Amino acid sequence: TTRVPLADLSPAELEVFLDRQRAAYQSLLDRGLRLDLTRGKPSEAQLDLADRLLTLPTTRTDADGVDVRNYGGLAGIRQIREIFGELLQVAPEQVVAGGNSSLTMMHDCLTQLLLHGAPGSPRPWVREERVRFVCPVPGYDRHFAMLAHHGIEMVTVPMREDGPDAGVVAALVRDDPSVKGMWIVPTYANPVGAVCSQEVAAALASMPAAAPDFRIFWDNAYAFHHLTEQEAKSADILTLAAVAGHPDRPLVFASTSKITYAGAGVAFLAASADNVAWYLSHQQFASIGPDKVNQLRHAEFFGSAQGVREHMAGHRAILAPKFAAVQAALSAELDGLGVATWTKPTGGYFVSVDVLDGTASRVVALAKAAGIVLTPAGAAFPHGHDPHDRNIRLAPSFPVLDDVQTAMTGVATCIALAAAEHLQARHQTER
Ligand code: PMP
């Protein structure tokens, strides 16, 4: 493009640009939009892909002859554990199939660690003076909110294209026994789309940890959620950790929330045999067994691991054009201005935008006033605080394609306007 970076414009040129952006923003206001891009929810068309579930299961017994309508089977039915075991590269005995939410399983693991510790814990985590977690940022707001809710301190590390900065993580974990765990979304991370490389995974699996019960919460929520034919393969963290002599370090989570129904899918925990036994030894006091009817209908619906992969192609067909629309709108409005950079994810549910430092909140407020609701600025950081006020998470999955296009052009207008205002204010203080 022939655009000049905004920072290079003279005050007079900037004034002209600002007037144009104000006019563009006024026409945005005049449109009276009402669009919501706050959360990574599947669209109605995506949910429809799984509607055959509503006719299943066709039988009342699982492959072991157990009546799925009744109580029991705390670890979940074998058929669904086999399918997701294959997908997650782990033996079915090391997979627990639970209820509809992997976030609940993460929370269960965390609260069990807090109240009881795990084999190898010197004491329950609540009896430690302080408990800290390593948190790659930008990251998933609900991970951080869960820790904050339980009084766990968060230490941020930068997220890079190949996963969290493993050197920084290793240095934090090596000497400080209060660092008890870390979050990671290894595949198509929320929100930056990064895929944790084999090298980073191996480093995390093998790094020395001062806490003997250090845990990696490996949240593989987007493991199969490819947007292109270039399908990322998740590192096999359980094998890497076992080989490195830390078999109990990783707790792997996944779910069908963005495969079938977000509110009525099946969630999974995969871990060492000892961790699975530990998890179930506590879970037995909370449940007489999961929803096996739902598990069986999912097993019938997919048929096999290959069935899951094929089903994901349907999601890709719906999602890829929306992600392309985000790229097209941001490029068309912002390329060359030097006021924003954004990720080009090959999977997952989000685009992460970095705007000019100090303008993210303003962009989100401008968008909101124009009827485009975005995730609050700072949401991808612990306590909702982005130290640079520059990161915005875009979630284009839910609205129809037309609305994604409209919304993104509007967001780009807000980004350019906020940047121009910011630079003009700077010119004025420098004068
Ligand atoms: N982990 C991540 C990284 C997510 O983005 C989400 C959904 N936004 C979840 C977990 C929630 O998973 P579930 O529906 O299985 O609780």
Side-chain angles (χ1 to χ4, degrees):
T1 83
T2 53
R3 289 192 185 122
V4 178
L6 283 199
D8 296 350
L9 297 183
S10 69
E13 289 166 333
L14 187 62
E15 191 65 44
V16 173
F17 181 89
L18 191 51
D19 283 344
R20 245 191 302 138
Q21 286 311 308
R22 285 191 181 121
Y25 183 67
Q26 186 56 52
S27 32
L28 190 63
L29 289 176
D30 293 343
R31 293 181 68 175
L33 300 175
R34 274 187 61 85
L35 300 170
D36 186 340
L37 285 92
T38 51
R39 305 257 24 135
K41 288 196 293 192
S43 62
E44 196 176 341
Q46 288 178 271
L47 299 172
D48 289 348
L49 295 175
D51 271 349
R52 198 163 53 83
L53 275 178
L54 299 177
T55 69
L56 301 174
T58 57
T59 137
R60 292 167 185 180
T61 50
D62 71 8
D64 295 321
V66 172
D67 189 328
V68 293
R69 298 170 303 174
N70 221 324
Y71 275 144
L74 195 57
I77 69 168
R78 187 160 53 85
Q79 284 136 292
I80 198 75
R81 288 192 285 132
E82 280 172 355
I83 292 173
F84 278 83
E86 181 179 333
L87 290 166
L88 296 167
Q89 314 168 71
V90 44
E93 302 74 49
Q94 284 177 244
V95 179
V96 176
N100 71 321
S101 166
S102 63
L103 199 66
T104 299
M105 293 177 110
M106 299 171 214
H107 188 262
D108 286 341
C109 286
L110 186 68
T111 54
Q112 290 172 14
L113 284 159
L114 284 165
L115 290 172
H116 305 285
S121 295
R123 57 193 77 81
W125 288 7
V126 278
R127 288 215 247 115
E128 302 285 350
E129 209 162 297
R130 67 200 305 213
V131 176
R132 309 206 291 165
F133 254 61
V134 174
C135 296
V137 291
Y140 179 35
D141 54 354
R142 291 185 192 274
H143 286 165
F144 303 153
M146 190 189 298
L147 297 181
H149 178 63
H150 291 291
I152 295 172
E153 291 174 34
M154 292 172 258
V155 188
T156 60
V157 302
M159 195 65 181
R160 303 198 301 199
E161 259 174 47
D162 57 352
D165 189 323
V168 175
V169 177
L172 286 166
V173 167
R174 188 179 48 225
D175 304 315
D176 183 350
S178 75
V179 178
K180 289 289 201 181
M182 76 175 287
W183 286 113
I184 176 169
V185 182
T187 317
Y188 306 131
N190 177 352
V192 297
V195 177
C196 181
S197 69
Q198 186 70 21
E199 293 70 26
V200 169
L204 299 175
S206 63
M207 66 191 173
D213 52 354
F214 180 78
R215 290 290 182 275
I216 298 175
F217 281 60
W218 184 270
D219 179 2
N220 218 345
Y222 301 102
F224 323 113
H225 303 54
H226 315 290
L227 286 168
T228 73
E229 272 164 40
Q230 183 200 320
E231 302 190 350
K233 189 165 160 28
S234 304
D236 175 6
I237 191 68
L238 288 168
T239 299
L240 288 170
V243 166
H246 304 296
D248 299 334
R249 181 173 289 184
L251 297 167
V252 174
F253 303 93
S255 77
T256 69
S257 289
K258 277 136 196 178
I259 300 177
T260 55
Y261 291 158
V266 181
F268 302 94
L269 163 69
S272 70
D274 283 350
N275 273 338
V276 166
W278 163 80
Y279 177 80
L280 294 175
S281 75
H282 291 286
Q283 206 56 27
Q284 65 175 326
F285 299 105
S287 174
I288 312 173
D291 181 348
K292 297 186 296 302
V293 174
N294 192 34
Q295 294 184 358
L296 181 58
R297 67 178 180 159
H298 274 79
E300 286 188 7
F301 179 77
F302 293 128
S304 66
Q306 188 53 29
V308 176
R309 294 187 195 102
E310 283 163 14
H311 185 72
M312 293 315 292
H315 287 290
R316 191 175 94 196
I318 296 169
L319 285 173
K322 295 183 183 180
F323 278 79
V326 175
Q327 298 298 328
L330 295 180
S331 281
E333 305 296 317
L334 300 173
D335 270 355
L337 294 180
V339 297
T341 58
W342 55 90
T343 57
K344 296 174 180 56
T346 57
Y349 264 61
F350 304 100
V351 174
S352 177
V353 186
D354 280 339
V355 296
L356 274 197
D357 281 17
T359 65
S361 313
R362 175 71 177 148
V363 171
V364 172
L366 284 167
K368 187 174 184 182
I372 304 168
V373 189
L374 303 175
T375 312
F381 293 77
H383 307 293
H385 178 68
D386 173 0
H388 302 285
D389 189 25
R390 69 171 162 222
N391 184 252
I392 297 172
R393 184 183 85 166
L394 301 176
S397 60
F398 188 73
V400 296
L401 180 58
D402 248 10
D403 287 348
V404 172
Q405 277 157 345
T406 306
M408 284 305 131
T409 304
V411 169
T413 298
C414 297
I415 291 172
L417 175 56
E421 288 173 349
H422 189 77
L423 290 169
Q424 192 197 45
R426 198 191 291 167
H427 279 308
Q428 280 163 357
T429 54
E430 278 165 6
R431 213 173 278 161

